[in-house]
Structure formats: structure tokens, C-alpha cells
């Protein structure tokens, strides 16, 4: 509440700078990759998002794909006893490079052995990448994505591709953020959305529930928190 209150006051009392009309989200992530973790660590800790990441990712099992893996903020939560193979993909080479360095520096990385973890640069929201991601297999038992729908031009296409990449008896696990239950929060996000995207590469006012519905995937579970702006979603 303090965060939203402070943000609302700032928006009402200060003019928002006009962002460029054409925002290249991927270029923003490549440019900010080096300082990304330091910028979001505190907010994710105090909001409880890191605990949610841990709970979500520990459900992953079998052959696992993490889409929009970013700097690998979920890497430490994967259970090597439950996960047979892990593929982390992101369209930002800069972000994924940080994820690889972080993984190789983790003490527990040795538990995984050679060849069980791969890092691929690719855009899951774009067509024509499925064969590369499947690597000749029949899809993944678990697909994980956290805060990825805000950072692509076509989030519906992203979800539909994730649905094609998961096996019929598998699960797509999402932790996302977007529109609130409350219109005063939505007005705050709408007014500052373009500025936020230009600064952080993230459209934070997207209708996650609407995107999920439009994707055509079956909702197994959906929970919302933080005034409805954080979404826990399990799909098949």
C-alpha cells in the first residue's frame, strides 16, 4: 500500500516525460542486463515475490523449459532430483549471459552434471522456434515463465507457443503481474505505462486474465495478490 500510495502521489504531482513512440523492449533489456538484479532485488524481497518464485519453480519436474528466463532469477530454486533436463531461453542475449554466469557460479550447479542444463537465445513469442526448443523431443513436462508477458510485443502468441511446447499431461506455470482489481491502481499504471516500458522494458498494465483467456489454454489454477496485480497461473 505504501508503494502504491507513493507512486500515485508522484504521478499526480509530477509531469510524466513523453517516451518514444516506438519502444524496443529487447534493446532495453540488453542495455540494462548488468544492473538488472541490483535494481529489482529489494522490491522482490519486500513484496514477497522471491518466495512466490521459489514455490512456483519447485513444482517443476521432468523435462523443463523456462521461457523469458532473463538473468536467471529462478535458477536457484530448481530441484535437481525432480528435473531431468532444464532449458532456459530468453530473446535478450545480454540477460541470458548473466543467467549463464550466475548458474556457473552457483555451488549447486555441479549437482546437475554435464548436458542437463542449456541456455538458448530465442523469442518464444515468435513463430518458427519450436523445433529448436524441443530439441527433437515431444515437448516439455513443465514450462515455467515469470514476469514474461509484460516484456513481449504479443503476449497471446507467447502463451499459445508455450501451450504447443508443453506435453498434454504437462503444466505451464506462470507468475505474472498486470492490471489490478481496483480502477485507481489501473489508472496509475495506465498513465505511467509508456514511461515505465521505456525505462524498464515492461508494460506493467496488461490484462493478464484476458491474455490467458484469449490464448485458449485451460486454466487449472489462478490466484491473485497485491491488490490483484500479481498473478499465479497454472495452465494446460
Amino acid at each position: 500500500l505504501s508503494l502504491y500510495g507513493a507512486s500515485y502521489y508522484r504521478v499526480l504531482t509530477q509531469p510524466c516525460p513523453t517516451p518514444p513512440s516506438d519502444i524496443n523492449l529487447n534493446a532495453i533489456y540488453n542495455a540494462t542486463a548488468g544492473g538488472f538484479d541490483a535494481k529489482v532485488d529489494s522490491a522482490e524481497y519486500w513484496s514477497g515475490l522471491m518466495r512466490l518464485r521459489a514455490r512456483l519453480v519447485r513444482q517443476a519436474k521432468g523435462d523443463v523449459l523456462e521461457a523469458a528466463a532473463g538473468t536467471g532469477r529462478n535458477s536457484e530454486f530448481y530441484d535437481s532430483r525432480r528435473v531431468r533436463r532444464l532449458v532456459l531461453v530468453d530473446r535478450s542475449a545480454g540477460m541470458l549471459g548473466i543467467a549463464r554466469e550466475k548458474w556457473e557460479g552457483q555451488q549447486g550447479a555441479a549437482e546437475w552434471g554435464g548436458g542437463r542444463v542449456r541456455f538458448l537465445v530465442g523469442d518464444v513469442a515468435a513463430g518458427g522456434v519450436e523445433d529448436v526448443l524441443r530439441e527433437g523431443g515431444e515437448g516439455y513436462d513443465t514450462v515455467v515463465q515469470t514476469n514474461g508477458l509484460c516484456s513481449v510485443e504479443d503476449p497471446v502468441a507467447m502463451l499459445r507457443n508455450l501451450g504447443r511446447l508443453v506435453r498434454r499431461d504437462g503444466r505451464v506455470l506462470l507468475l505474472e503481474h498486470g492490471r489490478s482489481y481496483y480502477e485507481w491502481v489501473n489508472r496509475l499504471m495506465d498513465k505511467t505505462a509508456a514511461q515505465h516500458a521505456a525505462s524498464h522494458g515492461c508494460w506493467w498494465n496488461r490484462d493478464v486474465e484476458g491474455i490467458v483467456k484469449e490464448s485458449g489454454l485451460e486454466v487449472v489454477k489462478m490466484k491473485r495478490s497485491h491488490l490483484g496485480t500479481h498473478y499465479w497461473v497454472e495452465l494446460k
Side-chain angles (χ1 to χ4, degrees):
L1 287 173
S2 298
L3 174 63
Y4 284 118
S7 299
Y8 205 62
Y9 177 80
R10 180 177 56 82
V11 169
L12 292 176
T13 57
Q14 298 180 14
C16 294
T18 302
S21 57
D22 184 17
I23 301 173
N24 187 329
L25 301 178
N26 195 44
I28 293 170
Y29 279 112
N30 280 328
T32 60
F36 184 82
D37 286 333
K39 184 168 61 176
V40 301
D41 276 343
S42 180
E44 290 203 354
Y45 174 80
W46 289 108
S47 68
L49 184 57
M50 289 305 293
R51 291 193 298 273
L52 290 176
R53 286 182 183 273
R55 284 174 51 200
L56 187 85
V57 172
R58 284 170 185 154
Q59 294 189 41
K61 62 182 180 180
D63 292 333
V64 178
L65 167 70
E66 182 177 344
T71 60
R73 297 185 65 78
N74 297 322
S75 298
E76 63 183 293
F77 304 125
Y78 285 105
D79 187 340
S80 62
R81 297 164 298 180
R82 290 170 53 87
V83 176
R84 182 167 48 248
R85 180 178 58 127
L86 176 61
V87 178
L88 296 96
V89 60
D90 197 281
R91 66 175 181 164
S92 167
M95 298 286 274
L96 201 62
I98 300 294
R100 183 190 294 271
E101 291 176 7
K102 191 183 297 183
W103 181 273
E104 292 173 350
Q106 287 177 353
Q107 293 181 352
E111 300 174 4
W112 291 78
R116 289 178 62 192
V117 181
R118 290 201 61 194
F119 297 83
L120 298 175
V121 177
D123 188 353
V124 183
V129 299
E130 295 161 26
D131 291 339
V132 176
L133 296 176
R134 285 186 178 131
E135 298 180 311
E138 299 177 351
Y140 295 87
D141 299 295
T142 311
V143 172
V144 174
Q145 180 175 278
T146 57
N147 294 343
L149 296 182
C150 65
S151 60
V152 295
E153 283 76 12
D154 191 341
V156 175
M158 163 77 88
L159 269 191
R160 287 174 177 167
N161 280 343
L162 296 185
R164 285 193 281 267
L165 289 165
V166 72
R167 293 172 180 153
R168 286 190 174 274
D169 58 348
R171 289 290 183 271
V172 177
L173 306 178
L174 306 177
L175 191 62
E176 301 288 348
H177 66 101
R179 299 190 75 76
S180 169
Y181 293 130
Y182 303 102
E183 275 309 307
W184 68 270
V185 178
N186 292 334
R187 286 195 297 270
L188 164 66
M189 291 193 293
D190 289 342
K191 186 172 180 179
T192 57
Q195 176 193 358
H196 187 81
S199 299
H200 304 289
C202 160
W203 289 97
W204 66 352
N205 63 333
R206 285 185 167 161
D207 179 5
V208 173
E209 193 166 353
I211 291 168
V212 168
K213 185 178 296 185
E214 190 176 348
S215 75
L217 299 180
E218 181 180 341
V219 177
V220 178
K221 181 179 182 180
M222 181 182 292
K223 294 174 60 178
R224 296 172 67 175
S225 58
H226 295 90
L227 305 181
T229 61
H230 284 183
Y231 296 72
W232 175 298
V233 187
E234 299 176 22
L235 305 170
K236 67 177 181 179

